[in-house]
Amino acid sequence: MDGVILKRPRTPHYDDPVAVGQRLHAAREAAGISQRELAFPGCSAAYISRIERGERIPSLQVMRELARRIGITEAELAYGKDPLDSDVSQAVRAVEAAQAAGDQADVAKAYQALSRAASRAATRAARAVAA
């Protein structure tokens, strides 16, 4: 295969532009946030409106920031579900918040809670496989 360049298929960071827009709109409304309040430098209210109508797909970085500002996971915004157990998801968010606050004692406690949540999720998954 001299001179042949094979392109790897691109993996999108979302499932469907219209579905992403619908999820963004629903999550924003549920959070009680206007498009203007959700906007930030590099992502105007007009751009958010276009995303919600399925006319634009945000970059991965914008998708992450929108999800963070609304209080949902990137996976929920991108695919409509959170692949993690909900207790594990909450524990991960608690770790992120503790790290942002910078208190090492709170970080350690948050990681301990994450460990417990992950252990419980693993036990539930193992029982489901065995059933």
Side-chain angles (χ1 to χ4, degrees):
M1 293 191 129
D2 292 329
V4 175
I5 298 174
L6 298 175
K7 288 189 174 184
R8 186 179 77 207
R10 188 161 186 250
T11 304
H13 58 271
Y14 58 89
D15 63 354
D16 172 64
V18 173
V20 168
Q22 290 169 344
R23 285 190 294 270
L24 176 61
H25 177 79
R28 181 180 60 74
E29 291 284 317
I33 301 171
S34 71
Q35 290 175 342
R36 191 174 310 270
E37 291 168 326
L38 183 57
F40 55 93
C43 184
S44 66
Y47 186 62
I48 291 168
S49 176
R50 289 184 193 103
I51 294 168
E52 288 184 358
R53 290 193 310 263
E55 297 172 1
R56 297 286 185 274
I57 283 294
S59 68
L60 182 57
Q61 294 80 9
V62 168
M63 187 90 84
R64 284 181 178 151
E65 184 62 17
L66 290 171
R68 187 192 70 76
R69 287 170 172 259
I70 294 172
I72 63 174
T73 67
E74 295 169 45
E76 288 171 306
L77 183 55
Y79 299 105
K81 61 185 175 203
D82 191 340
L84 295 177
D85 177 271
S86 62
D87 290 340
V88 173
S89 292
Q90 272 186 298
V92 167
R93 285 193 282 274
V95 166
E96 290 170 343
Q99 287 177 329
D103 183 340
Q104 292 306 311
D106 286 344
V107 170
K109 287 178 188 174
Y111 271 113
Q112 288 170 344
L114 174 57
S115 176
R116 288 189 300 273
S119 292
R120 287 189 304 270
T123 300
R124 285 191 296 272
R127 286 183 184 149
V129 169

